Amino acid sequence: MGRITQLKPLSEISTPEINLSITRSAVSMADDQRIIVVGNSAGQLVEFDFSSKSSTSEKTRSRHFESGHSSYVTGVVWTKGGIVSVGYDRKMIWWDPLERTVLREVVAHEKWIRRIAVSPDGTTIATVADDMHCKLWNAITGELKFVLDDHQPVTPHHYPSMLYAVAFSASGEQLATGDKVGHIAIWETQTGRKLGELESPGMYTWDPKARRHSIGGIRSLAFSQNGSTLAVGGIGAIGNVDHLDGPARVEIFDWRQAKSLVQLSDTAMKGLVEQLHFSNDDSQLITAGGDNNGFITVYDLATNKIDVQVKAHQHLHGLIVDEASQRLYAAHHGKVSMWELQDEPVA
Amino acid sequence: MSLFSQDQWPTRIPPHNGLRGIENASQLRDGTSRRGFLKASLAGTAFAASMHQLDILQNPVFANELKRQQKHVILIWLAGGASQLETWDPKPGRATGGPFAAIQTNVAGVSISELLPKMSQRMHHSAIIRSLNTKNADHGGAAKIMETGRAVDQGIPCPDLGAMIAHELGRADSQVPDYVSMYSSTEGRRQGGSGFLGGRYAPMFLTEQMIPENTSRLESLSELDHSARSDLRSFLANRFREGRPDLSVDSHNSAYQRVRGIMSSANLFNIELEPMDVRARYGPTQFGEQCLIARRLVEAGVPFVKVARAWWDSHGQNFETHLELVTELDHVLATLIDDLEERGLLEHTLIATFGEFGRTPQINSSLGRDHFASAWSASLHGAGIRGGSVYGKTDADGLKVIDGEVNAADLFATIFHAIGIDYRKEFHVGARPVPITDFGGKPIRDILL
């Protein structure tokens, strides 16, 4: 449970697909169980074995799940009901992680499903989609529990909005959703009641003059481990929306007070912040994403300065961190990777 | 609602800017002969080549026929380069296909991107060209090709499509502009131009405001005084002109008439004069409003209107960009087609959509697509088009054209043919013949009526 002191690449696997989402395949991510599952642009789920016995070999093993999705797989999580994936085909699919076969399949939304999140106890799933609904599901039975609506379907400039991001708090009691125009809603998961809302208008990148469109939005959310703050990730003011040419931007809120605490903006490694993760003691925040290049940036939240930063292989879409904050696994455009986060030798 | 009553439609006189429009010797140089209406309406009646053209056109029968036959073009310029894979040539299930599905249109066997659900139900008014290979994937060079239809520098400034159509279909004494171009975004903004055809055919170019600036009468001058001054100027000009047959004098007088006409047509650009339900149909976006203006202009007799929608240059986040922009294009284009059809204008109006190029089938690491001119698409709708037709074919991944390759000259020849302009016509710049369609260009007969 130590402090993140480095981002050292340990292993990587090249793929022909765009890897968009990532999860673990078992309860533990111990050395001999480092099996991750990645959703990709071919509509596939693929299992990669990064365990100690195989990661030393040049060819790390990969195994495909049976077919299920017909478009990009944009989210995948491990739950107590199995692995669950979502995609642009509007489907949510439950999978047997051992057999890699379909357990259950539902058309969960009317438009693209952007992200899926699972409660820390693995029993509740949240999905968000461009129909602007957030849906809460029983991860074990597949029952739909709540439909949460607070996001406008159309932007202030009369274009379709998107509901990109969702995250549970560490306690599982709260849920946050974030959309294209920078609106955030906080929900009580037990009741479906809205607890509050926040605005991060800097995440909305509408260009009214040069190009007349936008590509930003809130792409990531994370509650701190103590539940008091909420980090919101996206991109800042874009000079050229053609190229994601804007600062990687994070805004941190005291969500209960609806108060913005800090805005972090990095122009050295630009692009969308696709992923956020607080360290176990909330002293650091991992951010990841990119433009055509990828980045992983770790902020020291005492100083709000960058602690550690690396350029990653191309755009980074998904990441997970193991329980001890020792290793990070990432899904990139054309690659899956494993990184070491601490100086201390990992057993 | 037409803002011009029938008796306000001007008669046509041939262009007289020193250029010679050379066509088939049996034809006149005006739009009426090009479209052959005389052949249709005066079957069996010899049209004497020696008969003075103006006399003919002042005949109300012919004037009405001319109006009936009048053709228009609305070019929706997709500036920056829209993706053919997210519009007219989807490749679902392929690595290059992206996340969007294809949907069946109302024409059997024709599928387009799911981002175009409204257009999928209007394929009977539409033709798709899927096999453009224009070879230049640089914004500036490619835009020049797709504006002029000429791949090779002619060594002289060449007119763009709008100027050529304004030259062919415009009326010298028209009360409305011949060529209006709207380009609001600043990125990639290009005015286009009339090249060797001269300033007479240059576009009325609107950028920041959709209502032309400096076209209103001074408040200190009453309409009565304004008219009286105009009448006095005309009286003096005509007296001066007597016995002085000179093109420059005519041009001077014509310029005053056009200014007067443009001042009186400023309301054409004011969409607040449209009923609310019509405005609501087009939607609240600037592009929607500009296409409504385009319909108003066409309805009033403007031959060529260009509406540029920028900016499609989706090197990053191609799918987010197209989700936003194609959704708008689908709605506005479908509305424009419906509106023109309901007003009886669609059969006289050709709508074309294309930009400078398409986008790469390969998806880059920003989930973007880059410039691609080797195998891309354009669409045509309305006048002269064989609805429901698809021409050309790309390979399974959209990497190259495998059937029916065409270029910019072929596209231009197709547009000319669709609206009754002889694509073989030549302009003469001094003694030099310059074809209206670049050398070798031929219309795509399969998609024409």
Side-chain angles (χ1 to χ4, degrees), chain A residues 71 114 159 164 213 242 292, chain B residues 99 316-317 320 324 328 365:
Chain A
S71 187
R114 296 290 186 162
Y159 291 87
Y164 284 122
H213 72 96
D242 305 342
N292 57 324
Chain B
Q317 300 283 294
E320 306 301 317
E324 193 169 67
E328 179 188 39
S365 59

Side-chain angles (χ1 to χ4, degrees), chain A residues 18 20 41 70-72 88 90 112 114 130 155 157-160 162 164 180 204 206 209-215 219 240-244 272 274 291-293 314-315 317 333, chain B residues 93 95 97-101 114 139 184-189 208 284-287 309-317 319-321 323-325 327-328 363-367 370:
Chain A
I18 306 165
L20 299 159
S41 60
S70 58
S71 187
Y72 288 16
Y88 286 160
R90 293 92 164 154
W112 281 7
R114 296 290 186 162
D130 285 352
T155 71
H157 297 92
H158 315 292
Y159 291 87
M162 292 102 182
Y164 284 122
K180 179 172 184 170
Y204 180 44
W206 171 256
K209 188 173 178 66
R211 297 171 179 83
R212 299 192 73 81
H213 72 96
S214 62
I215 56 174
R219 300 300 184 98
N240 181 347
V241 293
D242 305 342
H243 297 276
L244 288 172
L272 294 165
E274 301 270 20
D291 45 19
N292 57 324
N293 293 306
Q314 299 193 333
H315 193 103
H317 293 282
H333 188 98
Chain B
F100 296 106
E114 67 172 322
H139 282 300
S184 303
S185 303
T186 56
E187 187 67 22
R189 184 185 289 170
E208 305 301 326
T285 67
Q286 185 187 63
F287 175 56
R309 176 60 175 101
W311 180 245
W312 294 76
D313 197 20
S314 51
H315 294 285
Q317 300 283 294
F319 309 116
E320 306 301 317
T321 300
L323 192 50
E324 193 169 67
L325 297 186
T327 301
E328 179 188 39
I363 299 163
N364 69 29
S365 59
S366 293
L367 291 183
D370 301 312

Side-chain angles (χ1 to χ4, degrees), chain A residues 8-275:
Chain A
K8 179 182 175 183
L10 290 178
S11 180
E12 61 183 31
I13 305 163
S14 294
T15 69
E17 297 85 16
I18 306 165
N19 301 295
L20 299 159
S21 50
I22 187 168
T23 190
R24 59 196 166 109
S25 177
V27 176
S28 168
M29 290 288 285
D31 283 358
D32 59 349
Q33 294 175 303
R34 291 196 204 108
I35 311 289
I36 63 163
V37 175
V38 167
N40 69 29
S41 60
Q44 302 164 332
L45 264 65
V46 185
E47 180 184 280
F48 293 93
D49 186 352
F50 281 98
S51 61
S52 53
K53 62 179 183 290
S54 66
S55 60
T56 54
S57 65
E58 286 193 5
K59 284 194 174 180
T60 307
R61 288 170 297 181
S62 65
R63 293 189 292 189
H64 284 68
F65 282 48
E66 75 171 331
S67 61
H69 287 286
S70 58
S71 187
Y72 288 16
V73 180
T74 51
V76 58
V77 290
W78 180 92
T79 79
K80 284 193 174 171
I83 286 177
V84 184
S85 62
V86 293
Y88 286 160
D89 58 4
R90 293 92 164 154
K91 287 183 192 172
M92 179 161 58
I93 301 178
W94 277 256
W95 304 84
D96 181 329
L98 298 177
E99 300 296 325
R100 299 182 302 284
T101 53
V102 173
L103 297 171
R104 182 190 300 118
E105 175 180 315
V106 298
V107 176
H109 287 268
E110 293 176 4
K111 293 187 177 180
W112 281 7
I113 306 176
R114 296 290 186 162
R115 195 68 72 91
I116 186 171
V118 62
S119 60
D121 66 3
T123 62
T124 305
I125 294 168
T127 55
V128 288
D130 285 352
D131 57 14
M132 307 310 284
H133 300 308
C134 174
K135 294 185 178 181
L136 287 183
W137 311 78
N138 183 313
I140 298 165
T141 66
E143 176 196 6
L144 176 62
K145 297 168 71 174
F146 298 110
V147 178
L148 311 178
D149 290 331
D150 191 51
H151 296 273
Q152 296 299 314
V154 177
T155 71
H157 297 92
H158 315 292
Y159 291 87
S161 189
M162 292 102 182
L163 187 51
Y164 284 122
V166 62
F168 279 94
S169 64
S171 67
E173 293 172 358
Q174 293 92 30
L175 183 82
T177 52
D179 66 24
K180 179 172 184 170
V181 299
H183 179 71
I184 303 134
I186 317 292
W187 309 88
E188 186 176 66
T189 55
Q190 284 299 310
T191 63
R193 182 171 65 95
K194 191 169 86 171
L195 296 174
E197 56 186 38
L198 305 166
E199 303 296 336
S200 185
M203 300 293 183
Y204 180 44
T205 65
W206 171 256
D207 176 348
K209 188 173 178 66
R211 297 171 179 83
R212 299 192 73 81
H213 72 96
S214 62
I215 56 174
I218 292 172
R219 300 300 184 98
S220 50
L221 293 163
F223 284 93
S224 58
Q225 305 294 345
N226 67 14
S228 65
T229 60
L230 178 71
V232 180
I235 192 169
I238 296 180
N240 181 347
V241 293
D242 305 342
H243 297 276
L244 288 172
D245 183 21
R249 185 173 186 274
V250 175
E251 186 164 9
I252 301 176
F253 291 89
D254 176 337
W255 65 268
R256 287 192 175 88
Q257 302 297 320
K259 180 182 177 186
S260 176
L261 300 175
V262 64
Q263 296 183 34
L264 308 172
S265 183
D266 182 26
T267 55
M269 292 195 184
K270 296 180 178 181
L272 294 165
V273 175
E274 301 270 20
Q275 296 290 330

Side-chain angles (χ1 to χ4, degrees), chain B residues 15 17-23 29 167 425-431:
Chain B
N17 64 345
L19 294 164
R20 288 186 295 134
I22 309 298
E23 301 183 38
R29 285 178 290 176
H167 182 267
K425 171 179 177 161
E426 290 180 338
F427 300 114
H428 275 220
V429 183

Side-chain angles (χ1 to χ4, degrees), chain B residues 107-330:
Chain B
V107 173
V110 179
S111 296
I112 57 178
S113 169
E114 67 172 322
L115 291 174
L116 294 162
K118 294 175 182 174
M119 284 308 303
S120 77
Q121 298 308 304
R122 288 156 183 84
M123 264 307 294
H124 57 294
H125 291 309
S126 307
I128 300 170
I129 301 167
R130 287 177 170 161
S131 51
L132 278 164
N133 181 1
T134 48
K135 303 184 188 304
N136 188 323
D138 165 69
H139 282 300
K144 191 173 179 183
I145 290 170
M146 297 310 298
E147 284 170 354
T148 64
R150 300 174 201 278
V152 178
D153 190 347
Q154 306 291 308
I156 50 173
C158 289
D160 65 15
L161 180 66
M164 289 189 281
I165 288 174
H167 182 267
E168 296 305 303
L169 301 185
R171 299 178 166 104
D173 58 350
S174 173
Q175 294 284 300
V176 296
D178 293 329
Y179 176 9
V180 175
S181 175
M182 293 175 260
Y183 198 132
S184 303
S185 303
T186 56
E187 187 67 22
R189 184 185 289 170
R190 295 170 62 91
Q191 183 167 350
S194 51
F196 59 72
L197 291 178
R200 165 70 179 77
Y201 301 103
M204 174 186 278
F205 192 52
L206 303 176
T207 55
E208 305 301 326
Q209 298 179 17
M210 289 306 100
I211 296 179
E213 295 179 84
N214 304 318
T215 54
S216 57
R217 174 173 44 79
L218 290 174
E219 286 184 11
S220 58
L221 192 65
S222 71
E223 175 61 32
L224 188 61
D225 285 346
H226 193 226
S227 295
R229 290 184 186 196
S230 178
D231 291 345
L232 177 60
R233 193 210 61 79
S234 295
F235 171 76
L236 294 173
N238 288 335
R239 195 171 66 178
F240 178 80
R241 184 174 177 271
E242 286 175 7
R244 296 182 179 87
D246 185 280
L247 283 178
S248 62
V249 175
D250 288 345
S251 176
H252 185 78
N253 287 333
S254 166
Y256 274 98
Q257 290 167 7
R258 290 180 62 75
V259 167
R260 181 80 179 159
I262 288 169
M263 286 178 68
S264 65
S265 64
N267 276 345
L268 290 175
F269 299 87
N270 185 1
I271 59 168
E272 291 185 2
L273 298 174
E274 283 287 330
M276 283 304 296
D277 61 327
V278 175
R279 294 177 65 184
R281 285 178 71 184
Y282 280 84
T285 67
Q286 185 187 63
F287 175 56
E289 292 180 343
Q290 289 172 331
C291 283
L292 174 54
I293 292 171
R295 191 272 289 159
R296 288 171 62 83
L297 293 170
V298 160
E299 190 171 40
V302 176
F304 190 90
V305 184
K306 177 178 176 178
V307 180
R309 176 60 175 101
W311 180 245
W312 294 76
D313 197 20
S314 51
H315 294 285
Q317 300 283 294
N318 173 76
F319 309 116
E320 306 301 317
T321 300
H322 282 74
L323 192 50
E324 193 169 67
L325 297 186
V326 183
T327 301
E328 179 188 39
L329 175 67
D330 181 53

Side-chain angles (χ1 to χ4, degrees), chain A residues 322-336:
Chain A
D322 66 10
E323 301 93 326
S325 290
Q326 289 180 335
R327 290 203 165 129
L328 179 153
Y329 304 83
H332 310 250
H333 188 98
K335 195 158 285 192
V336 180

